[in-house]
Amino acid sequence: MSGSVTTAIVGLQWGDEGKGKLIDLLAGRHDAVVRYNGGANAGHSVVVEGVRYALHLIPSGILHADTLAVIGNGVVVDPAVLLREVDGLAERGVDVSALRLSNRAHVVLPWHRAEDELRETILRGGSTGEGGQIGTTKRGIGPAYADKAHRSTAIRAGDLLDERRLRQRLEAVLPLKSRCLEALGSPPVEVNALIDSALAWGARLRPMICDTTYLLHGLLADGKSLLFEGANATLLDVDHGTFPFVTSSNCTTLGIPAGTGIPGRCVERVLGVCKAYCTRVGSGPFPTELHDPTAERIRERGNEYGTTTGRPRRCGWLDLVALKYACMINGVTGLSIMLLDVLAGFDELQLCTTYEVDGERTDRFTPDAAVLDGVTPVCESVPGFADEVRAARSLGDLPSEARAYLDRIEAFVGVPIEVVSVGPDRAETIQISA
Ligand code: IMP
């Protein structure tokens, strides 16, 4: 679409930053919205004209006419979830004919979900529940990516279209999967039932499945612009996040080339999305986490409960050390600060500007859970803002303390703020330059 450059939107914290809203805001200015990583572990909520849409697999660009919604090869797709989402949107009158799915996207099968669940249960171990589990969403994401790495046991979307090949693949894989599941204590898989389901998925997905790499390159060659939608978030990236408490894909912009076939140099603008505070779901380090009434208040005001699992999210102050690191890894060119309205009404706010490790101060974020567990956040206090900010539509409408809070973030991170969100609706947004 004229005037828009190819852009990536990426979460800079542990997910749930409100990327869905931003993607929805920008989608109409691009010709295609493209997912490159993750699977049904992601949950994007978008509120359009008072109607809330919760999408897990389908790029939120689907809510815009004239915009293609593309699921790239780097995504792991649970066909049952995808088709439920397709049906749900169609029932609400959303046209889903612009959805495309890479023939090389890997398929999440029932055994992946079973393995995810069993691994978590077994690793949790003893009665204390303090074992080696990750706290996954149990959507089969890790086991599906593991099969991609194993190669021999993987099924890709294109395989669903050819009955002979599908039957051959599943029959070859099944003895191994059955043995593994049996060892983990899970019931056996009924091969014919699985083949029937997989063929039915293939029949319904056929019109959407294609070579998305050539599709996207064709769009770029025609001067069209793409919007890449990162699922999950930077600190959950398997290489650059708080390992091992991460997901199984490259959620950062570094995942775009591998997950779509589009070279990184084609991405001209990177919008990094973060909350005005921090949250995290599941296990893993979180230096600025709070366990007090402030956390409770942020959780309630921000409705901090998982879109995918409904789990209460852990809450804490904004961690600028982690944020600066995330901007560096993604090559962020502009910041989008979400949920500023949630912080209204506090007398004082805290921003973490340094970590203390073994008595030494550092401004480096180490993406390793063992190191981060030993970190003490050093925070600076800034005045809170009393007024509600949901009606603000420009920076000038904000209380001066709220503007000072944003200025401090911008100055610390060294990246300009382009968007500030002050409420869930599309309209409740301050667009500084977008
Ligand atoms: P998995 O992606 O289901 O394997 O879960 C791995 C970790 O990533 C868990 O701590 C999840 O809670 C977390 N996670 C995965 N996707 C998201 C997301 O979209 N938002 C927030 N946390 C996520």
Side-chain angles (χ1 to χ4, degrees), residues 242-369:
T242 52
F243 194 89
F245 299 101
V246 292
T247 189
S248 317
S249 66
N250 288 118
C251 323
T252 52
T253 49
L254 303 170
I256 293 174
T260 63
I262 297 294
R265 68 175 166 76
C266 295
V267 182
E268 295 161 84
R269 179 184 180 206
V270 179
L271 258 183
V273 189
C274 66
K275 292 182 184 184
Y277 48 91
C278 281
T279 64
R280 174 161 205 169
V281 207
S283 317
F286 179 177
T288 59
E289 182 174 15
L290 297 167
H291 302 276
D292 63 6
T294 299
E296 206 45 51
R297 184 169 165 173
I298 292 175
R299 186 173 305 116
E300 292 316 310
R301 278 184 63 91
N303 189 25
E304 294 294 357
Y305 296 90
T307 322
T308 305
T309 59
R311 289 182 287 182
R313 296 180 186 139
R314 299 155 65 194
C315 299
W317 295 121
L318 185 60
D319 183 341
L320 292 178
V321 178
L323 188 62
K324 193 166 180 171
Y325 164 80
C327 288
M328 174 179 85
I329 294 294
N330 289 292
V332 170
T333 59
L335 278 176
S336 185
I337 310 283
M338 313 304 282
L339 293 136
L340 185 68
D341 52 305
V342 173
L343 294 186
F346 285 103
D347 293 338
E348 190 175 77
L349 303 168
Q350 305 279 327
L351 285 165
C352 168
T353 52
T354 324
Y355 289 161
E356 208 169 86
V357 195
D358 299 328
E360 302 275 321
R361 294 220 169 168
T362 177
D363 56 5
R364 283 199 178 192
F365 182 87
T366 307
D368 182 321

Side-chain angles (χ1 to χ4, degrees), residues 14-17 19 38-44 116 120 134-143 145 231-233 236 244-249 251 279-284 308-309 311 313-314:
W14 285 284
D16 315 307
E17 294 92 350
K19 298 179 289 285
N41 52 353
H44 287 174
D116 201 356
E120 288 285 284
I134 304 290
T136 73
T137 58
K138 301 183 183 160
R139 299 297 191 267
I141 307 299
Y145 276 115
N232 326 121
L236 293 170
F245 299 101
V246 292
T247 189
S248 317
S249 66
C251 323
T279 64
R280 174 161 205 169
V281 207
S283 317
T308 305
T309 59
R311 289 182 287 182
R313 296 180 186 139
R314 299 155 65 194

Side-chain angles (χ1 to χ4, degrees), residues 186-222:
S186 187
V189 176
E190 216 284 276
V191 68
N192 286 324
L194 180 59
I195 290 172
D196 288 349
S197 303
L199 286 172
W201 295 328
R204 287 207 55 202
L205 294 173
R206 182 178 294 277
M208 304 165 202
I209 296 178
C210 64
D211 183 327
T212 52
T213 301
Y214 271 102
L215 170 75
L216 297 174
H217 275 278
L219 289 172
L220 287 178
D222 288 343

Side-chain angles (χ1 to χ4, degrees), residues 376-387:
T376 306
V378 181
C379 292
E380 66 182 39
S381 283
V382 291
F385 44 98
D387 304 334

